[in-house]
Amino acid sequence: LTIADGRANSPEYGGGGIYVSGGAVLNLDRCAVRNSKAYGIYDNYTGYGGGLLVNASRANITNTTFSGNWAQVSGGGVADWSGAVISISHSTIVTNTGLHTTTGSGGLYLYDGRASIRNTILAGNAGVPITNANYFVESGGRLTTQGYNLSDSAPVTATAT
């Protein structure tokens, strides 16, 4: 399954390609999410998750590629919001962009949620500032590596309090 060219341009929602909320469980296996955009502002969850926004829900992602997605705020590839839990394995998160001046992450953004990654490529993403290119974690979020990941930036492990 390929999800392409999605747009989230609402004052209430983010997730240009896919938006998951309300305690739902999303299972993505052998998919591609590409060239989707999330427009919005910094003070709510609009503008987050160009490819995917998981809000107070769960996502299990396997053998899936997020590429060429764009978020006006953060999480160009994938964004995790309000206690969401994301598991990513054997996947690729590349060439995504996040634009916020302090929290803009191109690849993966975690806000008060948890994500674990294993055997995943997290590289070639663009963030503002550049140190956030592949991932940014804040407000109690937690990113855990389960090994065998490839990144072109700092080691993939982070916790924010």
Side-chain angles (χ1 to χ4, degrees):
L1 172 68
T2 297
I3 297 168
D5 304 313
R7 300 288 180 268
N9 195 15
S10 164
E12 298 176 19
Y13 305 105
I18 303 169
Y19 175 68
V20 182
S21 70
V25 176
L26 171 71
N27 294 304
L28 285 179
D29 188 11
R30 289 172 271 176
C31 296
V33 181
R34 58 184 171 87
N35 303 328
S36 294
K37 294 183 178 181
Y39 298 90
I41 56 177
Y42 180 68
D43 65 348
N44 60 21
Y45 50 82
T46 64
Y48 293 86
L52 168 66
L53 174 62
V54 182
N55 181 20
S57 297
R58 182 172 185 83
N60 302 304
I61 301 165
T62 307
N63 299 311
T64 295
T65 298
F66 291 87
S67 65
N69 299 295
W70 178 93
Q72 190 165 357
V73 180
S74 197
V78 177
D80 177 318
W81 194 269
S82 290
V85 177
I86 299 176
S87 173
I88 303 170
S89 66
H90 299 87
S91 294
T92 303
I93 302 172
V94 296
T95 64
N96 301 289
T97 302
L99 297 177
H100 190 269
T101 57
T102 58
T103 65
S105 169
L108 179 62
Y109 172 79
L110 306 176
Y111 180 88
D112 190 30
R114 299 185 325 259
S116 63
I117 59 174
R118 177 178 172 79
N119 199 20
T120 292
I121 298 169
L122 188 60
N125 297 291
V128 179
I130 193 67
T131 55
N132 298 345
N134 287 318
Y135 64 90
F136 186 76
V137 179
E138 69 174 333
S139 297
R142 187 174 70 223
L143 175 60
T144 304
T145 180
Q146 296 177 332
Y148 308 102
N149 300 301
L150 293 176
S151 177
D152 61 357
S153 63
V156 180
T157 181
T159 301
T161 56

